[in-house]
Amino acid sequence: MIKNDLFLRALKGEPVERPPVWMMRQAGRYLPEFMAIREKYDFFTRCQTPELASEITVQPIRRYGMDAAILFSDILVVPQAMNIQVEMKPGVGPWLPEPIRSQKDVDRVVVPDVTQALGYVMEAVKATKELLCDEVPLIGFAGSPWTILCYCVQGQGSKNFDKAKEFCFTQPLAAHTLLQKITDTTIAYLKEKVAAGVNAVQIFDSWGGMLSPEDYQEFSWKYIQQIIDTLTPLVPVIAFGKGCWFALEEMAKSKAAALGVDWTVSPKVARELTGHSITLQGNFDPVRLLSPPAVIKEMVTRMIDDFGKDRYIVNLGHGILPHVPTDHAKAFIDAVKDYAPA
Ligand code: CP3
């Protein structure tokens, strides 16, 4: 039994004393204790070493006492396991030296045995569960098939992922074959993570908002739905689509336990679009964490009033930025813990 089950209760839609809170990318570069480990080990070494990944996962919990931990790893370990080379270049970010651009390239992509290829992630889950001592739930995650395709085809981060979109629009058969291979791998991967001990999973569709509503259904949501349908009997699933407010109505019809939203949609509109029925998660502008702590506290209280304390998980609308002062992150978490309705 998990001692602090606020997060799991909110996912079930049960009433809570106050909403639970965690932050996307909460294990990251704004934490001095993270930077100390980062100086000694490169990115994928941190991901692949269970002692390091588990230690990094619990760092923010120790410091701030969030209501859920999220495993330190990356969405790009999945394409790595599928025979696609992925590097993390300092100053550049993700870098794939041989991007996928043709059916031939897609043919070389494998659907691996995840227990072998990603066994180190399962070891990290088990090590983290031991460190957490059932104090708070552990979230496992994966990128959406579309967001993974974005990196595989573009080869790096991008403002518009034009090459990824061009691939989908000019070679749709190859694109769908790749999306299905990623989906099959992701489903097997998340099932193993559940078996290893995660209490919920989140699908990050960070670049879903690059697509038109129609293209979103064809190239992203269809595949996310396969993942939700397969995982939901096993574990609550959170679907986070950045910039995807246009799809909220459709997303709310799925079996997802919760939907993540970013700051470009108001709580009121997000609730209306989702029929007031599903748990929502978000949506504080990460840059707002640079406002003075007193302003952060006031804004967080208003955000909870606007979403309502039930069927709600407090979070940012995207990952925390590296230059956020640690006491501002604390103000965000404390505002939720001190919440009293207006
Ligand atoms: O939320 C957490 O604390 C768990 C850890 C986590 C990381 N990446 C660690 C990480 C999670 C959930 C992710 C997901 C991820 N990775 C996403 C989806 C979420 C989002 O932000 O949209 C995406 C798109 C990626 C791909 C990726 N990995 C990017 C764009 C970067 C940043 C590159 C840079 O230099 O800024 C990474 C690297 C990465 N993943 C870092 C961390 C803490 C920073 C690099 C480092 O620590 O050396």
Side-chain angles (χ1 to χ4, degrees):
M1 280 299 282
I2 306 283
K3 287 167 205 154
N4 173 351
D5 63 352
L6 274 180
F7 174 73
L8 298 174
R9 276 155 60 203
L11 285 174
K12 284 189 202 144
E14 294 174 6
V16 286
E17 307 80 79
R18 62 157 176 91
V21 57
W22 66 283
M23 294 189 294
M24 287 191 272
R25 291 281 186 96
Q26 64 190 17
R29 288 178 289 188
Y30 70 108
L31 287 178
E33 54 271 38
F34 176 89
M35 293 310 281
I37 293 184
R38 189 174 184 266
E39 260 172 38
K40 288 197 216 145
Y41 307 95
D42 71 62
F43 184 72
F44 286 113
T45 302
R46 278 175 273 149
C47 292
Q48 288 162 6
T49 313
E51 296 74 29
L52 294 177
S54 58
E55 169 60 23
I56 294 170
T57 301
V58 302
Q59 280 178 345
I61 310 296
R62 274 191 209 122
R63 188 187 265 263
Y64 300 115
M66 290 91 168
D67 299 304
I70 179 160
L71 185 73
F72 177 78
S73 186
D74 200 81
I75 60 170
L76 297 173
V77 302
V78 167
Q80 253 182 354
M82 298 176 73
N83 202 25
I84 303 169
Q85 201 184 328
V86 182
E87 298 166 18
M88 203 56 75
K89 265 198 182 175
V92 177
W95 174 256
L96 294 78
E98 292 173 20
I100 292 168
R101 297 286 163 80
S102 67
Q103 179 68 52
K104 252 197 176 151
D105 296 337
V106 173
D107 292 341
R108 280 196 293 269
V109 174
V110 301
V111 176
D113 173 351
V114 291
T115 54
Q116 262 193 339
L118 292 163
Y120 66 86
V121 180
M122 311 314 153
E123 293 311 313
V125 169
K126 288 176 199 160
T128 306
K129 289 294 286 182
E130 272 184 35
L131 285 184
L132 285 174
C133 296
D134 283 338
E135 291 293 338
V136 290
L138 177 62
I139 305 167
F141 66 89
S144 75
W146 157 251
T147 291
I148 298 297
L149 177 146
C150 277
Y151 287 100
C152 293
V153 176
Q154 196 80 23
Q156 63 185 104
S158 164
K159 281 202 166 68
N160 55 12
F161 285 97
D162 53 343
K163 292 191 177 75
K165 289 171 73 172
E166 178 187 350
F167 180 66
C168 289
F169 300 160
T170 60
Q171 303 180 71
L173 282 178
H176 281 296
T177 306
L178 178 58
L179 286 165
Q180 194 58 54
K181 282 186 175 183
I182 300 169
T183 303
D184 294 345
T185 306
T186 301
I187 287 173
Y189 173 57
L190 290 177
K191 276 185 171 172
E192 278 303 312
K193 270 184 163 169
V194 173
V198 301
N199 305 101
V201 298
Q202 174 156 321
I203 312 298
F204 284 89
D205 197 5
S206 304
W207 308 125
M210 297 285 164
L211 294 166
S212 73
E214 201 179 324
D215 290 330
Y216 185 72
Q217 293 301 324
E218 177 176 352
F219 294 104
S220 189
W221 183 241
K222 206 166 87 180
Y223 295 96
I224 294 177
Q225 257 183 318
Q226 287 185 41
I227 300 171
I228 295 172
D229 287 349
T230 319
L231 267 297
T232 290
L234 307 173
V235 76
V237 180
I238 307 169
F240 166 65
K242 184 166 176 292
C244 296
W245 63 270
F246 58 80
L248 280 176
E249 206 173 339
E250 192 64 29
M251 292 165 101
K253 292 179 196 153
S254 74
K255 294 183 190 137
L259 301 175
V261 286
D262 71 23
W263 61 96
T264 61
V265 65
S266 69
K268 183 170 176 282
V269 170
R271 283 291 185 206
E272 278 167 13
L273 288 171
T274 55
H276 301 270
S277 57
I278 193 166
T279 297
L280 295 178
Q281 174 179 280
N283 69 346
F284 205 72
D285 178 351
V287 183
R288 268 291 176 188
L289 287 183
L290 297 173
S291 291
V295 175
I296 293 172
K297 280 203 143 188
E298 192 210 305
M299 289 183 73
V300 169
T301 306
R302 207 173 341 125
M303 179 170 77
I304 300 171
D305 285 338
D306 290 350
F307 274 105
K309 78 165 173 67
D310 292 327
R311 292 181 193 272
Y312 177 48
I313 297 162
V314 180
N315 206 317
L316 307 174
H318 201 194
I320 189 168
L321 299 165
H323 56 296
V324 167
T326 49
D327 57 323
H328 290 219
K330 181 171 169 18
F332 180 79
I333 304 295
D334 286 350
V336 185
K337 295 193 166 177
D338 299 342
Y339 176 74

